[in-house]
Amino acid sequence: MPPRRLRACHECDWVAALPPLRPGEKADCPRCGHTLVRRHYRAAQRSLALAVAALVALALGVSFPFVSFQVGGIGNRIELTQTATTLIGFHQPLVAIVVLLTILVLPAVYLLGVIWLQSGLMRGAPWPGSRALARSLDHLNPWMMADVFIIGALVSLIKIAGMAEVQLGTAFWAFCAFAVLLLMTTQSIDGDWMWFTLAGEPRAPHGTHPGERAAVQDITGCPTCGLIGRLDERGRGQCRRCGERLRARLPHSQQRTWALLAAACVMYLPANLYPIMTTTSLGHSQPSTIIGGVVDLWQMGSWPVASVIFVASILVPVGKVVALAWLCLAVRHSDELHASTRTRLYRLTELIGRWSMVDVFVVAILVALIRAGSLMSITPGPAALAFAGVVVLTMLAAMTFDPRLIWDGPDHSRPQHLEEVAHDR
């Protein structure tokens, strides 16, 4: 009988046997170094405690004033939710929805899901819907951006610190604590233990051999729970444990990535050519583009802030598009000699993409806060929506790219369903 604890790496397709793990230990893929399993001490209790603490911090963050400013005897005070609702009044409902979802709604849903799931595991009888909920947690993770919002808030405050008196409210510190606790909660999830406790672990298909690629054995690893499953002659299947659809490779991975990158490039032009916000001071209005804002901050002496905005809003989107385009081209000439370096580049593009949302959050905060009529006010520009679109499209492009294509290489003995993937390239 084949060993029970086998995993197929989601990044290089290598089948490896998991060793016994103690709390604090992890198992990495011997081929590409991707972390297959990470074991935590008292995983359910830890995740539950962190999720409850994060929800309490979030409740405080939306219940008290977030930040206030005062200039010339006129001031304004805002709550956290106003960073999104104010944009609706300026005919930017899509940007408002993005802000509201990424900093409040999705994190709250995620934390409630963790509490429901882990409390059921702790009592030894999972609550109804736990499997479907566990499948959803990984999909929510990339779209929660509370930590990015905090950086945007700091940039916003530095921008106006020289023009007005700024005071941080209770909600600001509560939301900082929430962002840290949310990050700790996501890192505390032990997916391997969670799925084993929820549904056990059926044995790997008969004939599965570690130390070989999964594709040549007509098997693949479930992208959600990690269980190895058998594929049919078309390279498709269904996970026996969580019900997720299985594919030998993501269908039309490169075509979808190219399409999303092209759309991001189209959106990137208005995002930089049109003003992202307009500042009115003493009756004089001055539109500001992303690059113009970086130049203004540099001239004001705020070099660190200017560098952050330049990296997050200029270098990261362009670098991500270039990197993903190069990876799509490089898979035509796949070889293991360079595959490890290309995989690390892919991981980097996934990691940094969400941080480009900093500029969108800066606009949301300043528009809500600086509302003193002709004395001083800030309104959003058309570039805000375009730039938010760039961030979302590049994140989707990274998600649709299948890194296993980097490791496939020329192999005349591979199954028919992989030959079809090769023809799609």
Side-chain angles (χ1 to χ4, degrees):
M1 295 293 289
R4 293 173 52 128
R5 305 287 288 162
L6 294 180
R7 289 293 179 269
C9 179
H10 300 315
E11 294 192 355
C12 72
D13 208 35
W14 197 251
V15 179
L18 295 180
L21 295 175
R22 296 178 179 179
E25 295 180 337
K26 64 176 183 176
D28 294 339
C29 173
R31 192 186 193 195
C32 70
H34 173 64
T35 298
L36 301 174
V37 173
R38 190 185 300 272
R39 185 71 67 241
H40 295 298
Y41 178 74
R42 295 189 179 275
Q45 293 89 333
R46 182 183 181 188
S47 297
L48 181 61
L50 287 170
V52 171
L55 268 183
V56 171
L58 179 59
L60 294 174
V62 298
S63 302
F64 293 93
F66 185 70
V67 67
S68 62
F69 91 105
Q70 188 170 5
V71 57
I74 301 176
N76 187 29
R77 184 178 66 180
I78 63 169
E79 296 180 355
L80 184 63
T81 53
Q82 290 179 268
T83 58
T85 57
T86 304
L87 290 168
I88 299 177
F90 289 101
H91 308 291
Q92 295 278 3
L94 293 180
V95 181
I97 291 173
V98 169
V99 173
L100 192 63
L101 285 176
T102 54
I103 70 171
L104 292 177
V105 177
L106 294 182
V109 171
Y110 181 89
L111 293 172
L112 290 172
V114 170
I115 292 173
W116 179 270
L117 185 61
Q118 303 294 6
S119 62
L121 295 180
M122 285 181 60
R123 76 186 188 109
W127 298 109
S130 290
R131 292 196 193 188
L133 190 58
R135 287 177 54 186
S136 303
L137 291 182
D138 280 342
H139 300 296
L140 291 178
N141 201 353
W143 303 103
M144 301 186 298
M145 304 184 186
D147 48 349
V148 183
F149 183 82
I150 290 298
I151 301 300
L154 295 176
V155 171
S156 304
L157 298 178
I158 293 173
K159 273 191 171 186
I160 63 175
M163 300 181 292
E165 181 182 350
V166 179
Q167 291 185 342
L168 303 178
T170 303
F172 178 85
W173 302 110
F175 195 81
C176 288
F178 163 70
V180 174
L181 289 168
L182 177 63
L183 182 62
M184 293 175 65
T185 302
T186 59
Q187 293 179 343
S188 71
I189 301 296
D190 188 335
D192 181 68
W193 173 87
M194 180 179 67
W195 279 107
F196 186 85
T197 307
L198 273 176
E201 182 160 346
R203 294 181 180 274
H206 182 72
T208 301
H209 301 290
E212 298 180 12
R213 288 190 300 148
V216 298
Q217 303 182 60
D218 291 324
I219 58 174
T220 191
C222 176
T224 298
C225 72
L227 186 71
I228 289 181
R230 179 71 65 188
L231 299 173
D232 60 20
E233 64 278 359
R234 297 179 300 170
R236 300 177 182 178
Q238 187 172 21
C239 180
R240 295 170 291 163
R241 182 159 65 174
C242 70
E244 188 74 68
R245 288 191 303 173
L246 302 180
R247 300 290 183 92
R249 297 292 181 268
L250 294 178
H252 308 293
S253 170
Q254 288 182 270
Q255 291 91 328
R256 293 180 180 181
T257 302
W258 278 118
L260 289 166
L261 290 179
C265 290
V266 172
M267 297 290 284
Y268 193 70
L269 292 178
N272 283 273
L273 296 177
Y274 287 100
I276 194 167
M277 63 183 177
T278 300
T279 304
T280 300
S281 180
L282 299 176
H284 176 68
S285 297
Q286 180 180 0
S288 175
T289 62
I290 294 176
I291 298 178
V294 172
V295 173
D296 290 341
L297 285 169
W298 189 272
Q299 292 176 344
M300 290 167 54
S302 300
W303 302 334
V305 180
S307 300
V308 169
I309 296 296
F310 179 74
V311 170
S313 302
I314 305 297
L315 288 186
V316 168
V318 173
K320 193 169 184 179
V321 169
V322 172
L324 287 173
W326 182 77
L327 287 174
C328 285
L329 294 173
V331 297
R332 297 174 179 270
H333 311 285
S334 299
D335 61 87
E336 287 206 28
L337 182 63
H338 302 97
S340 181
T341 301
R342 294 168 182 172
T343 302
R344 286 194 292 268
L345 177 62
Y346 171 74
R347 293 172 190 162
L348 181 63
T349 61
E350 274 202 313
L351 178 67
I352 65 176
R354 57 201 290 273
W355 289 94
S356 297
M357 196 64 79
V358 166
D359 233 346
V360 177
F361 292 147
V362 168
V363 173
I365 295 169
L366 292 180
V367 166
L369 182 62
I370 309 301
R371 299 175 64 188
S374 60
L375 178 62
M376 182 182 293
S377 63
I378 294 179
T379 57
L385 177 59
F387 191 75
V390 171
V391 178
V392 172
L393 288 169
T394 52
M395 289 180 65
L396 290 173
M399 294 176 186
T400 57
F401 181 80
D402 193 334
R404 293 173 294 184
L405 297 174
I406 299 173
W407 293 85
D408 279 349
D411 185 356
H412 299 293
S413 64
R414 55 187 167 186
Q416 180 63 31
H417 54 260
L418 281 192
E419 291 293 340
E420 294 173 359
V421 171
H423 290 260
D424 286 339
R425 294 184 182 180

